[in-house]
Amino acid sequence: AQTVTQSQPEMSVQEAETVTLSCTYDTSESDYYLFWYKQPPSRQMILVIRQEAYKQQNATENRFSVNFQKAAKSFSLKISDSQLGDAAMYFCAYRSAALMDSNYQLIWGAGTKLIIKP
Amino acid sequence: DSGVTQTPKHLITATGQRVTLRCSPRSGDLSVYWYQQSLDQGLQFLIQYYNGEERAKGNILERFSAQQFPDLHSELNLSSLELGDSALYFCASSVEPRLLREQYFGPGTRLTVT
């Protein structure tokens, strides 16, 4: 079974600085998808960025980028120019790409609480 | 706004009671997923429906059940509630699970069992 691990329960960063959140996963599959979701105090779950395992190029969305290391099974999120609105819980999630109905669920890490210091 | 709606937003009930949580997926989405998030924890997958049929089950208790109706809205029924069932329950939807399409999440229903 696949697992997702976020080893940093909490991280803090100064406003305008850069922070990296870590995520590792365990899988025997070769094709899968990885996601970072943000959960602000409102509790809404918001997709930040996604990465297809077959793509070597790291995904980027504005100030958010990932460092995807497939061999190391590592998927970290880098937030540049941190803003107060980035304060939230960040969850890493895995989804299989295998064409089986039971594989379409997202498997989640425990989350990292990001604190932005003004 | 993700386009996924969930009602009610908050629910407070007593142990032993039964509640129903409702979810309406985004227009055009055929697949609905239910997740449970206990306090300060990650999400746990409960169950998935696609076009009215159950497709996958996760860590869903026997006291819990769900269904998806012909208009594609879904209901999650929780019975014989226990204190440990207090959590945030999310519904998510996607177009077709076989395609890589993001799961869009509703705002959640916060259930408090007293």
Side-chain angles (χ1 to χ4, degrees):
Chain A
Q2 297 84 11
T3 58
V4 176
T5 302
Q6 294 178 250
S7 58
Q8 306 156 315
E10 186 174 297
M11 292 280 287
S12 63
V13 63
Q14 206 71 34
E15 191 176 5
E17 297 292 306
T18 295
V19 64
T20 299
L21 308 184
S22 300
C23 172
T24 59
Y25 57 94
D26 188 27
T27 183
S28 59
E29 299 178 325
S30 59
D31 198 14
Y32 47 86
Y33 308 110
L34 295 164
F35 304 87
W36 278 98
Y37 278 86
K38 168 185 177 180
Q39 188 178 39
S42 67
R43 294 296 199 175
Q44 178 74 49
M45 199 64 76
I46 303 165
L47 177 68
V48 174
I49 200 166
R50 76 170 190 219
Q51 174 80 43
E52 292 91 334
Y54 65 86
K55 289 186 177 179
Q56 292 186 340
Q57 186 173 7
N58 289 323
T60 299
E61 288 287 342
N62 301 313
R63 297 182 295 107
F64 298 87
S65 61
V66 299
N67 183 4
F68 174 49
Q69 302 288 329
K70 192 172 184 179
K73 296 180 182 176
S74 171
F75 182 60
S76 60
L77 175 70
K78 186 172 85 171
I79 306 174
S80 304
D81 186 26
S82 298
Q83 300 175 1
L84 294 178
D86 295 333
M89 284 290 289
Y90 286 81
F91 291 95
C92 178
Y94 170 104
R95 203 207 87 165
S96 171
L99 295 179
M100 292 173 55
D101 290 335
S102 60
N103 289 337
Y104 301 135
Q105 59 178 285
L106 291 170
I107 299 169
W108 300 78
T112 296
K113 182 177 182 179
L114 179 63
I115 298 168
I116 311 295
K117 299 176 182 178
Chain B
D1 185 359
S2 67
V4 179
T5 60
Q6 288 187 250
T7 56
K9 285 188 177 180
H10 302 278
L11 199 49
I12 302 174
T13 189
T15 54
Q17 295 298 305
R18 181 180 188 274
V19 297
T20 297
L21 313 183
R22 182 187 169 102
C23 167
S24 293
R26 292 189 324 153
S27 177
D29 285 0
L30 300 178
S31 198
V32 169
Y33 309 76
W34 286 97
Y35 293 89
Q36 178 192 54
Q37 185 182 27
S38 299
L39 185 63
D40 292 331
Q41 294 186 13
L43 279 70
Q44 295 289 324
F45 169 70
L46 296 178
I47 198 164
Q48 178 207 351
Y49 278 82
Y50 175 71
N51 205 20
E53 294 187 1
E54 180 184 306
R55 282 294 182 89
K57 259 186 176 180
N59 300 319
I60 187 166
L61 300 173
E62 287 192 9
R63 301 183 286 107
F64 296 1
S65 65
Q67 55 184 328
Q68 187 179 27
F69 296 86
D71 67 353
L72 301 177
H73 90 272
S74 178
E75 293 181 356
L76 178 67
N77 301 296
L78 314 177
S79 62
S80 302
L81 286 168
E82 302 175 358
L83 295 178
D85 297 327
S86 295
L88 192 55
Y89 290 85
F90 283 106
C91 167
S93 73
S94 67
V95 174
E96 158 56 65
R98 285 177 173 79
L99 304 174
L100 174 59
R101 293 293 184 265
E102 289 82 10
Q103 293 182 19
Y104 291 89
F105 283 77
T109 293
R110 177 168 295 285
L111 173 66
T112 302
V113 182
T114 61

